[in-house]
Amino acid sequence: MYDVAIIGAGIIGSFISRELSKYDLKTVLIEKDNDVSNGTTKANSAIIHAGYDAFYKTNKGKFNALGNPMFDKVCKELDVAFKRIGSYVLAYSEKEIETLKRLLENGEKLGIPDIKIIDGDEIRKREPKLSDEIVAGLYAKTAGIVGPFELCIALCENAVENGTKLLLNYEVSNIEKNENRFIISSNEKSIEAKYVINCAGVYADKINNMVNKPKFKITPRRGEYYLLDKRTNGLVNSIIFNCPTKMGKGVLVTPTVHGNILIGPNSEDISSKEENKTTFSGLEFVKESASKSVKNIPFNEVITTFSGLRAEATGGDFIIEKSDTKGFINVAGIKSPGLSASPAIAKYIVKIIKDLNEGLKENKDFNPIRKKIVKFSELKDEEKKELIKKDKRYGRIICRCENITEGEIVDVINRLVGARTVDGVKRRARPGMGRCQGGFCSPRVVEILARELGKRVEDIVKSNKESYIITKETKGNIDYNK
Amino acid sequence: MLNYDIIVIGGGPAGLAAAIEAKKKGIKDILVIERDRELGGILQQCIHNGFGLHIFNEELTGPEYAERFIDELKNQGIEYMLDTMVLDITKDKKISAINTKEGIMNIQAKALILSMGCRERTRGAINIAGMRPAGVFSAGTAQRFINMEGYMVGKKIVILGSGDIGLIMARRMTLEGAKVEAVAELMPFSGGLKRNIVQCLYDYNIPLLLSHTIIEIKGKERVEGVVIAKVDKNKKPISKTERYIECDTLLLSVGLIPENELSIKAGIKIDPRTNGPIVNESMETTINGIFACGNVVHVHDLVDFVTKESKKAGKSASKYVLGNLIKKEEIIKTNADRGIGYIVPQRIRMSNVDKKLELFIRVKDVYKDAKLVIKADEKVIKELKRRHLAPGEMEIISLNASLLKGKKVSNISVSVKGS
Ligand SMILES: Cc1cc2nc3c(=O)[nH]c(=O)nc-3n(C[C@H](O)[C@H](O)[C@H](O)COP(=O)(O)OP(=O)(O)OC[C@H]3O[C@@H](n4cnc5c(N)ncnc54)[C@H](O)[C@@H]3O)c2cc1C
Ligand SMILES: Cc1cc2nc3c(=O)[nH]c(=O)nc-3n(C[C@H](O)[C@H](O)[C@H](O)COP(=O)(O)OP(=O)(O)OC[C@H]3O[C@@H](n4cnc5c(N)ncnc54)[C@H](O)[C@@H]3O)c2cc1C
């Protein structure tokens, strides 16, 4: 029997499992998909918000404010890229300046450091591509960008290294409480745990309803994005928001940690929890809104578009609490700024678990440091030479757009919480993230995955179980003159 | 640091022809660098017939065509490296390359020839809405899977784009037992060669839906179908014309983009119309001593023309190394006028032109019974009648050098007359 079962290996579940791995607990992290970070955590704006935005009395406000300063340390320990590049919320009118003032005041109540309102000219001096119409902006120095799926994967890897059990392909279909333990089943299989932490993203209502009365409902709220080629690097150097509205923080333009430009999201309530598609109208809206803040965005440099689903819970705030059933904790409705809040949410959950377990001991063997990921293209020539001497596979470039070597791909397959799918490799080592979107390298990645995993090429999938790439072997010789 | 007279980047048909020509013109130290496991470039995956009609008067398959050049390269004793990728080039013609044996190499050349070919446009670049399942391939990727790795990628196929790769893949998939439901084309005409439309679609009863596009991809894990619609004159989908086609695979053949990451890093100027380097009559880029040829300069539909152009680049590079390329002179600019998409070369120095000046052009639209009008500073110097002109088929205009030599011309323009 486990002490703690965490349902959902998104950023929230992963962060909690890593924090709990610091203690002497038997923890299992359960995920329905064949990889971690396959839900909302893989598709969002990747901003670590400074924290002035959400109302100071809400969980969103409190946890964001606490979470932001925690990123430097954890990202360093786990070798995940994180950059504090600062953000601007732009105002185009007197009325919008009032909104900025409200945000500033809210931020001050939350104790957010280094926020101030500056005038339009000063903003344009710092970000020359911004619109001439801007009259003022709220600058927040501590806002940052991170690789959300890299962070989530790194957290899982570190948790597993420190003793957490990761259970993939395990879709929780039923939970029963039996005296002091929960029986958590998926089809015929089941496991037992003393405590359950529900971090199931857009499905958190479904999981809650397995043990509790339906107290909240999660509505998926879709947001769509454009990603631009690295050639556009420098279009903006900080995070650029339009003024917020009721539906959210509005469309932003930001660099990513890898040097692309990300533009989005729109905001649309939908009925299906699986419809993370892009739409013509959604993307047109994003284009229009972004063009308001940044001049001449090169939309001909788009390399991909995607969308993510926010888990919008009844009431609109994060639900982070012990539920009516003792030992069952909900971490639900974690929409934006969920990523930014995640370290603080994890700390808070640890506190709850500690309260439930008097005398809980620390895990003496806890190792906070994750083995470094080799980023070949960032090494110096001398280091590259050394590495190739040791392992020839670092001398073979597989992804020609991002210059990713075979050595790096093999490494991410063979690590703890290693990649099992083409998308898994892509999220960990980035082949296929570049401008050709895997056109050249995907056949090679499939081949390497099959070889390293001892599988048939036909059995390698893009992402989930049914996302097969290849149907069969070809017939061979074809006569064209027939 | 290693030294060579000429380094050729990319061992496709362009690089091979250029290297061989330079060798024939007396250059000894030539190195061809290819990132793939074999020479021959994209030809190695084009196992269909139809290569070499112009150069060899025969119909060869892609690999057969490549083989002739690979054999000659070896006979000439030209050095080459496989599985080696060039990571960087500088304007002083230094390159850095990587492979598993040598690790990182820094090499100095007297001249460089860029022949990196092109890559395919992707789903992202054309922004097709919908889900992101497996089963969406660019046509060239599917071709590589099928022809080189020996794996089929689907059973029921829809193809977007009727460029040559799309057409050829329609036939290839059919011959492998798949059902190609349709080839949809945004434009009111196909971007492919006439003979490919007949031999790859009509012969197999595959419908070609002109003025159509895909507006949504359906399917959570694997493609389950696509929604297509007719488009109006402005290429916008017309409402109520939507139709769902069930399929498990979508192939995209929506254009090729010259691979100029290295060229841009070196500071070579790119022509936005071709997406390739601006070149002169000698296939020299805007940096002296760096030449370019083949699909990296502009996308060709026939490999024979790649060979032709690349020989010129090889010859010019040899002249450059031997000090025989005339550098300074008045430059004539070429100007793509009405109806013309682009002209290569963009700049001409007549003293490097022997007898004929060749212009490679592409029209923007389909024309019947039209004329190509060539003007030198507003004066018509030649008119060419054409029964049929299409963007999918490159035209070559050959001008007698005597028309231009010794005359003070600063601009040559080409336009289409007709409808
Ligand atoms: C468009 C958009 C933009 C955003 N931008 C930002 C931003 O810039 N900054 C920020 O801080 N936040 C942002 N967010 C919010 C942030 O992305 C989320 O708060 C965060 O990713 C939520 O993580 P999670 O772990 O709760 O959910 P998820 O990542 O969705 O994880 C839930 C996991 O539970 C699993 N699961 C579900 N049901 C079951 C089951 N029955 N059995 C087993 N496993 C199950 C799922 O497969 C999934 O892996 C944004 C969100 C969206 C949609
Ligand atoms: C699917 C398809 C069908 C075709 N069908 C026909 C046909 O029927 N008949 C016909 O005549 N023509 C056909 N063509 C056209 C013809 O094959 C191409 O125009 C020709 O191959 C282009 O030659 P290239 O050498 O410029 O480019 P490529 O053949 O693409 O060669 C470029 C080479 O450079 C290498 N390279 C690139 N960057 C680097 C680097 N940094 N370091 C090292 N190496 C590098 C690449 O690996 C590649 O091998 C077809 C083309 C395609 C794509």
Side-chain angles (χ1 to χ4, degrees), chain A residues 281-297:
Chain A
S281 55
L283 287 171
E284 279 300 299
F285 172 82
V286 168
K287 193 185 270 185
E288 253 171 57
S289 315
S291 301
K292 192 176 162 198
S293 55
V294 182
K295 290 185 281 196
N296 305 323
I297 299 176

Side-chain angles (χ1 to χ4, degrees), chain A residues 226 229 231 273-280 283 287 299-300 302-307 376 381 384-385 388-389 392-397 399-401 403 405-406 423 426 434-440 442-444 446-447 456-458 461-482, chain B residues 34-37 42 47-49 83 85 87 96 98-106 118-120 122-135 137-138 140-141 144-147 149-155 168 171-172 174-178 204 215-218 220-223 236-237 248-249 259 261 264-265:
Chain A
Y226 291 101
D229 195 300
R231 270 200 291 261
K273 293 182 174 177
E274 298 292 327
E275 283 255 291
N276 48 348
K277 65 177 187 183
T278 54
T279 64
F280 181 76
L283 287 171
K287 193 185 270 185
F299 281 103
N300 58 339
V302 171
I303 60 174
T304 188
T305 57
F306 62 88
S307 75
F376 187 81
D381 266 12
K384 285 182 181 166
K385 281 183 191 157
I388 298 170
K389 246 189 236 156
K392 292 207 168 313
R393 293 173 298 190
Y394 285 98
R396 181 174 294 128
I397 305 274
C399 167
R400 298 150 177 194
C401 301
N403 284 341
T405 63
E406 181 171 3
D423 280 359
K426 174 172 158 181
R435 53 183 70 103
C436 93
Q437 289 286 298
F440 282 123
S442 60
R444 301 290 296 276
V446 169
E447 183 187 311
R456 297 184 320 156
V457 165
E458 294 93 306
V461 291
K462 174 178 182 281
S463 160
N464 272 339
K465 269 208 294 298
E466 298 305 317
S467 63
Y468 61 91
I469 298 165
I470 277 156
T471 51
K472 58 167 192 197
E473 290 189 20
T474 51
K475 287 194 271 191
N477 291 334
I478 295 279
D479 184 0
Y480 281 98
N481 303 317
K482 233 178 17 203
Chain B
E34 168 57 50
R35 63 187 172 188
D36 230 310
R37 291 178 270 204
I42 201 81
I47 61 172
H48 53 280
N49 263 325
D83 213 354
M85 170 130 171
L87 297 173
S96 110
I98 178 172
N99 67 22
T100 57
K101 282 198 227 84
E102 256 75 37
I104 302 274
M105 292 167 277
N106 295 305
C118 57
R119 74 181 128 82
E120 298 180 277
T122 64
R123 172 182 181 178
I126 55 169
N127 233 324
I128 309 176
M131 303 289 285
R132 319 192 53 75
F137 298 89
S138 64
T141 306
R144 187 172 180 103
F145 264 125
I146 298 168
N147 293 348
E149 325 276 331
Y151 295 106
M152 260 308 265
V153 297
K155 294 184 183 138
I168 281 162
R171 173 174 67 185
R172 181 72 176 131
T174 309
L175 292 173
E176 282 292 347
Y204 297 90
I215 55 172
E216 186 173 351
I217 297 172
K218 303 244 189 197
K220 174 87 184 162
E221 303 198 1
R222 176 80 190 195
V223 174
K236 293 266 171 288
D248 61 16
T249 304
E259 281 258 299
E261 279 63 48
I264 291 166
K265 270 197 207 166

Side-chain angles (χ1 to χ4, degrees), chain A residues 244-481:
Chain A
T245 65
K246 261 200 217 108
M247 282 299 270
K249 286 181 279 287
V251 170
L252 58 86
V253 181
T254 178
T256 68
V257 281
H258 302 289
N260 300 82
I261 294 282
L262 182 67
I263 305 174
N266 65 336
S267 193
E268 186 186 353
D269 284 346
I270 57 170
S271 52
S272 161
K273 293 182 174 177
E274 298 292 327
E275 283 255 291
N276 48 348
K277 65 177 187 183
T278 54
T279 64
F280 181 76
S281 55
L283 287 171
E284 279 300 299
F285 172 82
V286 168
K287 193 185 270 185
E288 253 171 57
S289 315
S291 301
K292 192 176 162 198
S293 55
V294 182
K295 290 185 281 196
N296 305 323
I297 299 176
F299 281 103
N300 58 339
E301 296 278 4
V302 171
I303 60 174
T304 188
T305 57
F306 62 88
S307 75
L309 304 181
R310 307 171 184 86
E312 181 74 26
T314 319
D317 198 6
F318 295 164
I319 298 167
I320 307 174
E321 59 193 23
K322 292 189 256 186
S323 72
D324 298 341
T325 308
K326 194 169 167 236
F328 186 99
I329 300 157
N330 276 319
V331 189
I334 310 299
K335 55 174 191 171
S336 191
L339 185 61
S340 320
S342 58
I345 293 175
K347 286 259 189 306
Y348 180 71
I349 298 297
V350 168
K351 198 175 154 285
I352 295 182
I353 296 289
K354 265 182 161 169
D355 290 347
L356 291 166
N357 276 276
E358 238 170 86
L360 182 61
K361 287 205 193 69
E362 288 188 6
N363 173 2
K364 288 194 301 294
D365 301 325
F366 178 77
N367 175 9
I369 308 295
R370 182 175 71 135
K371 193 177 105 198
K372 276 212 177 322
I373 290 245
V374 176
K375 293 186 198 83
F376 187 81
S377 62
E378 291 172 14
L379 299 179
K380 296 196 191 80
D381 266 12
E382 285 315 309
E383 297 170 317
K384 285 182 181 166
K385 281 183 191 157
E386 271 311 299
L387 196 56
I388 298 170
K389 246 189 236 156
K390 269 195 260 160
D391 185 342
K392 292 207 168 313
R393 293 173 298 190
Y394 285 98
R396 181 174 294 128
I397 305 274
I398 300 292
C399 167
R400 298 150 177 194
C401 301
E402 301 273 316
N403 284 341
I404 310 292
T405 63
E406 181 171 3
E408 291 163 272
I409 294 172
V410 169
D411 176 48
V412 300
I413 296 171
N414 293 332
R415 274 174 174 263
L416 285 176
V417 195
R420 294 291 172 268
T421 64
V422 173
D423 280 359
V425 170
K426 174 172 158 181
R427 265 176 237 141
R428 289 167 175 82
R430 295 184 57 73
M433 288 273 189
R435 53 183 70 103
C436 93
Q437 289 286 298
F440 282 123
C441 66
S442 60
R444 301 290 296 276
V445 171
V446 169
E447 183 187 311
I448 296 170
L449 270 165
R451 185 190 71 207
E452 293 297 314
L453 300 173
K455 283 188 177 176
R456 297 184 320 156
V457 165
E458 294 93 306
D459 295 334
I460 301 301
V461 291
K462 174 178 182 281
S463 160
N464 272 339
K465 269 208 294 298
E466 298 305 317
S467 63
Y468 61 91
I469 298 165
I470 277 156
T471 51
K472 58 167 192 197
E473 290 189 20
T474 51
K475 287 194 271 191
N477 291 334
I478 295 279
D479 184 0
Y480 281 98
N481 303 317

